[in-house]
Amino acid sequence: MPENIIQVEGLTKCFGDFTAVDAITFTVKKGEIFGFLGANGAGKTTAMKMLIGLSKPTKGMGSVAGFDIAKNPEKIKKRIGYMSQKFSLYNDLTVKENIRFYGGIYGLDKKRIRSKTQSILKELNLNDVAGTLVAALPLGWKQRLSFAVSMVHDPEIVFLDEPTGGVDPHVRRQFWETIYEAAALGRTIFVTTHYMDEAEYCDRVSIMVSGKIEALDTPENLKHQFKAKTMDEVFLKLAR
Amino acid sequence: MFKIFKAFVKKEVYHILRDRRTLLILFGMPIAQILIFGYAVTNEFKDAKIDVLDYAKDQSSLQLVQHIQSSGNFLLNRILHSEKEIEAGFKAGTSKLVLVIPESFGADLYGNRPVSLQLIADGSDPNNANTLVQYALAMILDFQKERLKLAENPFQVRVETRMLYNPQLISAYNFVPGTIALILLIISAMLTSLTIAREKEQGTMEILLVSPLPPLLIILGKVAPYAILSFINAVLVLVLGYFVFGVPIIGSLTLLLIICMLYVITALSLGTLISTISKTQQDAMMRSLMGLMIPSMILSGFIFPLASMPVVLQYLGHIIPATYFIAILKGIMLRGVGFNFILFEVSVLLGMTLFFLFMTYKKFKIRLE
């Protein structure tokens, strides 16, 4: 049995009278690709923000990489990578400078930054544009670079918040390949999305509807359970 | 920790160097402002056109007109022949002042009778009209004295005026301190609030907050380059003021620079405070323009004297950091006062800075909750 790298129990977040996340409970195993699904406004991003230390839980418990999210957010931050739905690189810095900057703020030493830069440039085939401003790159490239940069410090878990928002299907496909590559290296991937077809790529998925987790299993089991052919159908049945 | 800080500041320097708008504000604005204020905003005038309606047409009236022109301030535009022509010059914009000399001018002057003259000015431009009339009056009194050297009245009140600290009333003495206050405010407050708002707008702030960087280091890393640049700018304006406009620094230069540093910190804390409440760059820009720039320009006593404003505006003026900073600058630069004379102003500035820093810290924390 692989250990649970994320463990959440009764996690709740209220904004005044409104309960954005309502007592959710789930675990994520080490090395799995966990899909965190839900419609816009279902509370995915709020839940994720509590896990990565951007927001404090109102009630409930949670631990990430073995540390309590309420007590030790600083220790968690060193062990996780994060890529937000907004584009997270600096447009007025070159590809190389972006990698160096993020390596720098995670406290990597010079040698390590240099070798990381080399390997990222090589893996993504970006050697020719290493000195180009990020603003000039096509969206698909930026996205993959953004993902690579979020893993510059070799985190145990990578949180991806709607990483494929606003990208065409072909590029989305490509992006998922890079996610698989990262998972193959033993990294845990926690990914939120509202594209149901992407759910099929995940090892396990949870589906959030208005603040609650309504379903949690492998895509196969969920389809079986809801007697549906695709994840899309599963979702439609749940949302009703 | 220092290495991380260095990496952060390096990134910030790239941002500044690659953004033309920032560069222009940083280095174009101080120079443009000081030159504009220096050459355009001035109460001194030369060769103002004056019309004369001379009913006397005798020797003494001619001498008066000549005397008025001798100062270099006035230039005779037209000799008028009737009252009807007076307004024509104002309407055409060719003259700003008309001097009317009555027929009996010469006779009264030497006959020891009351002498009357009339000055008519274009009141649609009140400041200008006032200054012109005052200059003209001074010249006329001067003329009278010269003519009547003879029978000096022993009981005459003689007033001798002297403008201490700025004997020639050079306007640069006023606007150089004011410009320093404005420029430091613009660069420190506006640019820092813009750069922090930009990170929020682009979503990179979120990434920074998820990283192990302590929030304090993020803020320090953002403001440090601007603190240094603001300081360089303050020195630049002082140097320009000294060499181009001859504004002296009579007091201690060290004290002056230390106070500039303090004010830079005040402005930076204001800038970060603004950025914690603005979500976008445009938002930050509007807030710093309306909330900082305009009040500091109008209510700090830089252009209009505070004492002559309605009480409410005076109170407003007294909560603006620039008001105190300008007072300190004038004290040190022009009057050469030491630290004990500016103690009050310095402690007010210090208090304001601590208040802003505290507010920023609190706001920043709340945002993370």
Side-chain angles (χ1 to χ4, degrees), chain B residues 348-364:
Chain B
V348 171
L349 265 190
L350 203 64
M352 284 180 170
T353 311
L354 291 177
F355 175 73
F356 294 141
L357 282 178
F358 175 72
M359 290 293 289
T360 311
Y361 181 70
K362 256 188 106 173
K363 284 262 182 208
F364 206 78

Side-chain angles (χ1 to χ4, degrees), chain B residues 167-189:
Chain B
Q168 290 164 282
L169 289 182
I170 299 170
S171 52
Y173 283 31
N174 178 42
F175 74 76
V176 165
T179 312
I180 295 177
L182 269 189
I183 285 173
L184 290 189
L185 197 74
I186 294 167
I187 290 167
S188 308

Side-chain angles (χ1 to χ4, degrees), chain A residues 49 52 54-56 77-78 82 84 86-88 90 92-94 97 100-102 104-106 133, chain B residues 4 7-8 11 14-15 18 198-204 206-213 368-369:
Chain A
K49 280 192 170 165
I52 58 178
L54 278 186
S55 166
K56 281 199 174 130
K77 283 178 175 178
K78 287 193 182 124
Y82 173 59
S84 77
K86 273 196 200 165
F87 182 59
S88 51
Y90 291 96
D92 55 346
L93 261 56
T94 67
E97 284 161 358
R100 253 191 263 153
F101 169 66
Y102 281 108
I105 64 169
Y106 275 95
L133 294 187
Chain B
I4 297 176
F8 202 99
K11 178 209 88 166
Y14 285 138
H15 285 325
R18 285 177 193 171
R198 185 165 73 161
E199 298 255 5
K200 279 194 203 174
E201 205 173 301
Q202 291 178 339
T204 41
E206 222 176 43
I207 309 286
L208 295 179
L209 289 174
V210 176
S211 80
L213 284 177
L368 290 178
E369 290 289 309

Side-chain angles (χ1 to χ4, degrees), chain B residues 58 115 119 131 139 147 163 219 250 302 315 320 361:
Chain B
D58 56 14
V115 185
L119 281 172
T131 324
M139 291 312 290
R147 294 292 108 185
M163 296 294 176
I219 292 192
I250 297 171
F302 167 28
Y315 279 128
I320 293 173
Y361 181 70

Side-chain angles (χ1 to χ4, degrees), chain B residues 28-289:
Chain B
M29 195 140 83
I31 297 171
Q33 262 199 0
I34 193 114
L35 293 181
I36 288 171
F37 279 123
Y39 288 116
V41 184
T42 170
N43 287 327
E44 300 144 32
F45 60 88
K46 255 193 200 160
D47 293 346
K49 297 274 170 58
I50 181 171
D51 287 350
V52 174
L53 178 54
D54 188 358
Y55 288 118
K57 291 202 185 80
D58 56 14
Q59 198 177 355
S60 41
S61 78
L62 273 178
Q63 278 171 339
L64 174 66
V65 173
Q66 228 157 46
H67 185 84
I68 285 177
Q69 284 187 89
S70 68
S71 65
N73 293 117
F74 295 104
L75 195 66
L76 183 62
N77 181 41
R78 237 161 28 109
I79 301 278
L80 308 178
H81 301 289
S82 88
E83 261 169 54
K84 284 178 197 147
E85 292 174 67
I86 290 176
E87 271 190 81
F90 292 157
K91 282 184 174 155
T94 49
S95 108
K96 292 284 175 199
L97 191 72
V98 177
L99 171 66
V100 186
I101 306 172
E103 223 182 313
S104 58
F105 178 69
D108 289 345
L109 193 64
Y110 294 104
N112 233 346
R113 280 186 298 268
V115 185
S116 59
L117 285 170
Q118 194 180 24
L119 281 172
I120 302 170
D122 177 4
S124 63
D125 187 356
N127 279 338
N128 205 12
N130 242 329
T131 324
L132 286 177
V133 167
Q134 262 165 34
Y135 269 73
L137 269 179
M139 291 312 290
I140 291 167
L141 284 177
D142 197 46
F143 171 79
Q144 184 187 20
K145 243 200 245 162
E146 218 172 84
R147 294 292 108 185
L148 299 178
K149 257 181 230 143
L150 6 144
E152 281 245 32
N153 184 343
F155 302 111
Q156 221 171 19
V157 177
R158 285 180 55 190
V159 180
E160 254 183 52
T161 50
R162 223 184 119 205
M163 296 294 176
L164 261 188
Y165 311 121
N166 185 2
Q168 290 164 282
L169 289 182
I170 299 170
S171 52
Y173 283 31
N174 178 42
F175 74 76
V176 165
T179 312
I180 295 177
L182 269 189
I183 285 173
L184 290 189
L185 197 74
I186 294 167
I187 290 167
S188 308
M190 191 163 93
L191 288 185
T192 41
S193 71
L194 276 182
T195 161
I196 295 178
R198 185 165 73 161
E199 298 255 5
K200 279 194 203 174
E201 205 173 301
Q202 291 178 339
T204 41
M205 185 54 101
E206 222 176 43
I207 309 286
L208 295 179
L209 289 174
V210 176
S211 80
L213 284 177
L216 192 67
L217 201 136
I218 298 178
I219 292 192
L220 280 181
K222 290 239 98 171
V223 302
Y226 289 100
I228 294 166
L229 286 169
S230 310
F231 194 69
I232 293 175
N233 263 311
V235 175
L236 181 75
V237 176
L238 281 176
V239 168
L240 271 177
Y242 186 82
F243 286 107
V244 180
F245 298 107
V247 181
I249 300 168
I250 297 171
S252 151
L253 187 64
T254 324
L255 182 62
L256 185 69
L257 293 181
I258 292 173
I259 302 288
C260 283
M261 241 356 197
L262 171 66
Y263 183 69
V264 165
I265 297 171
T266 316
L268 288 174
S269 55
L270 261 173
T272 36
L273 184 62
I274 289 176
S275 71
T276 55
I277 47 177
S278 356
K279 287 203 173 67
T280 61
Q281 292 187 74
Q282 206 176 11
D283 198 7
M285 182 84 145
M286 285 313 285
R287 278 179 211 266
S288 37
L289 267 182

